[in-house]
Amino acid sequence: MLRKTIFAAAGAFAITAGALLVSDNLVRPSHADGHGAKVAAVKERQEAMKAVGGNMKIIAEFVKDSKGSAAEAAAAARKIGEIATAVPDVFKVEATLEEMDTVGKNRAKPNIWSDWDGFLARGKVLEEESAKMASALDGGDAGAIQTQFGAFGKEGCGGCHETYRGPKVDG
Ligand code: HEC
């Protein structure tokens, strides 16, 4: 399903030949002109963020509704930690919401690149918070899981979105 989305997107932008699946969720053109590379970069980081969102849902459903198992939620937290390590890579191509008409709808604010170190620091925080989330889930203490889940969303996700993500885009 994810692969289908990736290939449909890649086909639409005629980069199929250069597309290479580097992990479950990330796709990267090996060859592309500047514009094609930007469009592909936007798709790639959005796929990465969607994967983060999908794993977050697994954790949230466990924490709030006791759906699934702690082990599944911990695995999802570790997966988010892995994707967090790819933040520098998937965001390295500058393509901001200010050039949305040409690079595709996106919510990436220009300060990601003007304050690159600050942005990467937020990626590190997500990595750390994911590891703490996985440990809390492994530990099995309901109170500790709840507390860490709050910190995870606030620090891990919100801390970056507040500063570096722009308003929601329609469509
Ligand atoms: C290092 C910064 C950073 C962190 C940390 C981060 N995000 Fe994001 N996220 C972004 C940016 C920037 C965008 C907009 C990307 C774009 O549109 O090009 C985004 C977009 C998203 C999207 C929309 C994807 C799409 O285009 O449909 C989701 C869902 C999301 N993030 C979930 C999360 C969750 C859940 C967490 C925490 C577990 C998280 N993010 C942590 C920076 C971050």
Side-chain angles (χ1 to χ4, degrees), residues 52 55 74-87 123-124 126-131 152:
V52 169
N55 282 290
R78 291 195 174 90
K79 185 72 198 172
I80 293 176
E82 263 173 49
I83 301 168
T85 65
V87 160
K124 278 272 162 220
L126 179 58
E127 233 180 289
E128 290 158 14
E129 291 297 329
S130 306
F152 185 52

Side-chain angles (χ1 to χ4, degrees), residues 6-21 27-32 40:
I6 288 166
F7 288 120
F13 296 103
I15 55 160
T16 339
L20 171 72
L21 214 55
V27 65
R28 179 172 297 115
S30 59
H31 255 308

Side-chain angles (χ1 to χ4, degrees), residues 17-94:
L20 171 72
L21 214 55
V22 292
S23 81
D24 297 353
N25 313 306
L26 308 179
V27 65
R28 179 172 297 115
S30 59
H31 255 308
D33 58 67
H35 177 253
K38 278 195 180 199
V39 171
V42 170
K43 289 278 159 215
E44 179 183 12
R45 70 195 189 208
Q46 290 180 341
E47 289 299 335
M49 272 299 147
K50 274 185 192 145
V52 169
N55 282 290
M56 183 61 160
K57 191 162 171 267
I58 293 172
I59 303 168
E61 285 179 348
F62 176 74
V63 174
K64 294 182 184 163
D65 303 327
S66 304
K67 273 195 199 160
S69 68
E72 280 164 352
R78 291 195 174 90
K79 185 72 198 172
I80 293 176
E82 263 173 49
I83 301 168
T85 65
V87 160
D89 196 39
V90 298
F91 278 95
K92 68 176 183 265
V93 176
E94 178 168 355

